[in-house]
Amino acid sequence: MARKNKLIATKFRGVKEIVNLHGGKEFIVSFSYKGFRINEKNFTKLFNCKTAKQAHERIPIVKDQIDKGEDPLTTTTNKIGELVLNNLEDKNIGFKKNSTHTYNKHIKPIIGHKYIERVTEKDLIKIRTNMEKQGLALSTIKKIRTILSPIFKKAHNKGIIKVNVLLEVPMGGHETKPRLEERLHGTIKDNAQNIFNKILVLKEFQNDEEFKSIFLISMMCARRLGEILEITYEDIIDGVVHVRGSTTKTYKIKGERVVERYPLPKEVLKIIGKGKGKVFNHQVRSCLDEYKKMIENECNLEVKELGKKFPIRGHDNRHFIMSLCSEKFGKDNVGSLALSHNSVSNMNDVYLSTEYKRVEELFKYYWRLLRSKPKEL
């Protein structure tokens, strides 16, 4: 199909310009390299070249990329939306679902339609400011950087953008939660028992008790949510979960090797029964939302001012066991035996019967505390 506007020669060999439909200039490049002819590639769209000189200077860079086995001349969209979704395509299901949710809610309305080279610091600040106004945690705001960083880095390396504006805008971070006693009225034991008993009577859609069993493992075994959702029936032997390294945050590099063991309480074993494959079908996001709903609508926790800013969520179950068991077992022991905190001695001893007996002793002590009759809050 014939072009509406003609190519106009420039003073740079192999570089021509064309006026696009909006009246702007784009630079079209043709050159030969190692017996191949590269015809009419739009270096403005590919590499954001805004002058004929920039397009000319890009040619040796492209040749070097070709020598390295790269394919820098493949035309792809530079719109944020498609770049984000393409980058998430090969990620694990949980990360992909959570990131897509964050993108749709916070990023897409502001820059999802924009080409990456047109995203400004002002745009990114607007995303952050909107999230801050909603009272979202720094760790939640930080997810914006996690999602956008790979595509901005790649665009910068390819020369599509000259400056990685994402690096210029602070975007969340890690914020240590205040201690439980700083957020809640009443004793830690009473609050833990309250949550535990609300989980026991949790009513679910069509009597599906999957959320209940997930929350019980979170409360009673203090496991991370992502790790709970990776449990298979094959991992459970005589009521004990044999934890594969690949399912953990701490020991992922150990692959399918068993790195820890912990017992499941009778409340969980009664619900899950026996089977094959993965025990749970829910995703992280639905579990987070359901737990939040239970805490806010069912538990009637008496929160202090800091408890309003840092509400109780599933990860706080790890704080409960640490607070209630440290005096008897020691903080370091609770961390290594129950919380999957990295410990060389734990890795060396995890298979020893004496080590597992310590794990079992700690959990049975904690379970007795949770099952004892709570005081009215």
Side-chain angles (χ1 to χ4, degrees), residues 63-205:
K63 290 179 178 179
D64 184 57
Q65 290 176 299
I66 293 173
D67 286 339
K68 292 177 180 178
E70 300 175 12
D71 187 13
L73 298 174
T74 298
T75 303
T76 58
T77 179
N78 289 328
K79 282 190 175 180
I80 291 292
E82 294 183 43
L83 290 173
V84 168
L85 297 180
N86 288 341
N87 183 64
L88 293 175
E89 190 62 35
D90 61 349
K91 301 297 187 291
N92 69 63
I93 294 175
F95 180 83
K96 181 179 178 180
K97 187 169 184 177
N98 289 333
S99 297
T100 301
H101 173 82
T102 300
Y103 165 75
N104 287 334
K105 188 172 184 180
H106 302 295
I107 300 174
K108 183 178 179 180
I110 297 174
I111 61 172
H113 63 288
K114 284 193 169 188
Y115 288 97
I116 194 168
E117 59 267 28
R118 297 187 181 277
V119 175
T120 65
E121 290 184 32
K122 186 177 180 179
D123 294 325
L124 299 174
I125 291 172
K126 184 176 181 180
I127 294 173
R128 184 190 67 197
T129 302
N130 286 352
M131 297 178 76
E132 290 172 342
K133 288 180 179 178
Q134 296 176 46
L136 298 177
L138 290 177
S139 57
T140 301
I141 299 173
K142 185 180 178 182
K143 291 179 182 177
I144 302 302
R145 184 177 299 282
T146 301
I147 294 169
L148 294 179
S149 183
I151 65 172
F152 272 85
K153 183 177 180 180
K154 186 174 181 179
H156 185 255
N157 289 341
K158 291 181 68 174
I160 297 172
I161 56 176
K162 288 187 175 181
V163 177
N164 186 346
V165 293
L166 187 63
L167 298 178
E168 308 299 318
V169 180
M171 193 69 70
H174 178 71
E175 190 170 20
T176 303
K177 283 187 176 182
R179 298 164 66 90
L180 290 171
E181 57 266 34
E182 296 178 289
R183 291 186 281 153
L184 293 171
H185 289 290
T187 69
I188 293 175
K189 178 182 175 183
D190 288 343
N191 281 293
Q193 289 175 327
N194 178 25
I195 296 172
F196 169 67
N197 282 287
K198 294 302 181 184
I199 295 173
L200 288 178
V201 297
L202 182 66
K203 294 181 180 179
E204 300 182 42
F205 180 68

Side-chain angles (χ1 to χ4, degrees), residues 217 221 223 231-244 258-266 268-269 272-274 279 337 350-353 355-361 363-364 367:
I217 298 175
C221 303
R223 303 304 298 188
I231 299 172
T232 67
Y233 282 101
E234 291 75 17
D235 294 330
I236 305 171
I237 303 173
D238 296 328
V240 177
V241 179
H242 290 62
V243 183
R244 291 169 286 120
V258 174
V259 294
E260 294 178 297
R261 292 180 292 171
Y262 64 89
L264 289 176
K266 60 185 180 182
V268 172
L269 293 172
I272 65 175
K274 298 185 182 297
V279 178
L337 296 175
V350 72
Y351 298 106
L352 300 178
S353 59
E355 180 71 13
Y356 178 70
K357 285 180 180 178
R358 293 173 64 203
V359 173
E360 191 174 50
E361 180 187 0
F363 280 118
K364 286 185 175 181
W367 296 347

Side-chain angles (χ1 to χ4, degrees), residues 134-141 173-185 191 195 291-292 295-296 301-317 319-320:
Q134 296 176 46
L136 298 177
L138 290 177
S139 57
T140 301
I141 299 173
H174 178 71
E175 190 170 20
T176 303
K177 283 187 176 182
R179 298 164 66 90
L180 290 171
E181 57 266 34
E182 296 178 289
R183 291 186 281 153
L184 293 171
H185 289 290
N191 281 293
I195 296 172
Y291 196 87
K292 174 184 176 182
I295 290 291
E296 294 180 350
L301 298 175
E302 293 186 22
V303 299
K304 299 179 180 179
E305 283 303 312
L306 280 176
K308 297 175 183 178
K309 182 178 180 182
F310 300 93
I312 298 298
R313 295 293 181 259
H315 197 76
D316 287 305
N317 293 333
H319 294 261
F320 279 118

Side-chain angles (χ1 to χ4, degrees), residues 3 7-18 26-33 37-44 46-47 49 51-60 62-63 73:
R3 285 191 177 89
L7 291 174
I8 303 171
T10 70
K11 67 178 182 180
F12 296 96
R13 183 179 179 182
V15 180
K16 296 183 179 181
E17 72 177 50
I18 188 172
E26 295 180 1
F27 296 93
I28 311 299
V29 176
S30 300
F31 62 93
S32 297
Y33 189 58
R37 181 65 181 170
I38 311 297
N39 284 317
E40 297 187 353
K41 295 294 180 179
N42 190 323
F43 272 34
T44 299
L46 283 170
F47 308 112
C49 296
T51 67
K53 182 180 180 182
Q54 288 178 0
H56 179 71
E57 291 174 344
R58 189 75 199 185
I59 294 174
V62 168
K63 290 179 178 179
L73 298 174

